[in-house]
């Protein structure tokens, strides 16, 4: 199972919006509404930010939103804040009954 | 609140074995599937294995199939990962994660496994 494709890095200024893409295939992202997104600060464990493409867990800011079109899922962060600077990973369930992650995207808040 | 505490990591020679444990608390352990996810130094996340809440259904990543065994003891609220025939490329921080549908909603702090001679 190949990793999902994410941009290596994205950046934005405080208050702006950014979008991170996550591209897979019809056997994972495109085949199921089971895409999730994780935030990871350096030296810390990942934190669930979005599940089932667009649902937010309790306690996660509504500045985080998710969507999907075909084989590509997206995470949008609006009103960027300094604390949003972190690595972000997408994940999808697959037709092989396994899970696959994206390679990760480093978000820099300028 | 949910707490997951991994242990058992360390340095092991290539070809060696190690057993990781993950002690769970703060939720009804026997109601949830559990995962192991690893992260090589400076690299991204890699899903390793899943076990259903009752142990009846198990799946592995191709990279560990036949070498790693996931198991659980619901009477002890503990998840395990038996790792055999370890390779240098298995060097990583290993996280246990609580399954929530098809996502991972709580993570431990991780335990570092280093495979080196």
């Amino acid at each position: 199972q190949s990793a999902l494709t994410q941009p290596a890095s994205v950046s934005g200024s405080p208050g702006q919006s950014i979008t991170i893409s996550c591209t897979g295939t019809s056997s994972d992202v495109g085949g199921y509404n089971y895409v999730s997104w994780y935030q990871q600060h350096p030296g810390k464990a990942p934190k669930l930010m979005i599940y089932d493409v667009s649902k937010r867990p309790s306690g996660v800011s509504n500045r985080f939103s998710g969507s999907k079109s075909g084989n590509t899922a997206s995470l949008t962060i609006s009103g960027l804040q300094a604390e949003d600077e972190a690595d972000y990973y997408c994940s999808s369930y697959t037709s092989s009954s396994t899970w696959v992650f994206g390679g990760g995207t480093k978000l820099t808040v300028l | 609140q949910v707490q997951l505490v991994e242990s058992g990591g360390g340095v092991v020679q290539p070809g060696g074995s190690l057993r990781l444990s993950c002690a769970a608390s703060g939720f009804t352990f026997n109601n949830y599937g559990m995962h192991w996810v690893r992260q090589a130094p400076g690299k991204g996340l890699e899903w390793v294995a899943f076990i259903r809440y009752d142990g009846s259904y198990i799946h592995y990543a191709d990279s560990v199939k036949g070498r790693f065994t996931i198991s659980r003891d619901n009477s002890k609220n503990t998840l395990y990962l038996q790792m055999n025939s370890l390779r240098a490329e298995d060097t990583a921080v290993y996280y246990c994660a609580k399954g929530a549908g098809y996502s991972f909603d709580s993570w431990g702090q991780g335990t570092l496994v280093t495979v080196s001679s």
Side-chain angles (χ1 to χ4, degrees):
Chain A
Q1 183 73 46
S2 298
L4 306 176
T5 300
Q6 297 180 232
S9 63
V10 298
S11 63
S13 299
Q16 288 186 331
S17 295
I18 63 94
T19 297
I20 300 171
S21 62
C22 169
T23 301
T25 69
S26 58
S27 295
D28 39 63
V29 174
Y32 305 90
N33 287 323
Y34 297 141
V35 175
S36 51
W37 290 90
Y38 303 86
Q39 176 191 67
Q40 186 180 35
H41 288 108
K44 301 295 186 181
K47 175 186 176 183
L48 176 65
M49 305 302 285
I50 295 288
Y51 67 99
D52 293 355
V53 175
S54 59
K55 298 176 182 177
R56 262 182 296 108
S58 172
V60 172
S61 170
N62 59 9
R63 298 186 299 105
F64 291 82
S65 61
S67 62
K68 190 186 85 166
S69 177
N71 295 338
T72 298
S74 299
L75 173 71
T76 297
I77 308 174
S78 59
L80 267 181
Q81 299 179 1
E83 60 261 37
D84 298 332
E85 185 162 294
D87 293 327
Y88 291 84
Y89 294 90
C90 62
S91 175
S92 176
Y93 182 68
T94 83
S95 60
S96 301
S97 300
T98 61
W99 282 259
V100 61
F101 282 94
T105 298
K106 181 177 180 60
L107 168 62
T108 300
V109 180
L110 302 170
Chain B
Q1 73 282 17
V2 173
Q3 192 167 14
L4 300 169
V5 180
E6 301 94 337
S7 60
V11 180
V12 60
Q13 292 188 338
S17 298
L18 213 55
R19 188 175 86 152
L20 306 183
S21 299
C22 171
S25 61
F27 66 103
T28 305
F29 182 69
N30 59 14
N31 282 355
Y32 291 91
M34 296 293 295
H35 300 261
W36 286 100
V37 177
R38 68 184 180 183
Q39 186 170 33
K43 302 296 184 182
L45 300 171
E46 179 187 14
W47 176 80
V48 173
F50 166 76
I51 184 167
R52 198 177 176 187
Y53 67 94
D54 59 358
S56 63
Y57 182 84
I58 287 173
H59 261 276
Y60 298 98
D62 287 344
S63 57
V64 307
K65 200 175 295 183
R67 300 186 300 122
F68 289 13
T69 301
I70 188 172
S71 63
R72 63 192 296 159
D73 186 338
N74 285 345
S75 69
K76 295 182 178 179
N77 288 352
T78 303
L79 175 73
Y80 302 100
L81 186 68
Q82 177 67 43
M83 304 185 295
N84 299 330
S85 303
L86 283 162
R87 307 166 179 166
E89 54 265 36
D90 295 319
T91 294
V93 172
Y94 284 74
Y95 295 100
C96 66
K98 173 176 166 284
Y102 294 88
S103 63
F104 318 96
D105 71 346
S106 297
W107 298 65
Q109 84 290 349
T111 187
L112 176 62
V113 172
T114 303
V115 184
S116 174
S117 54

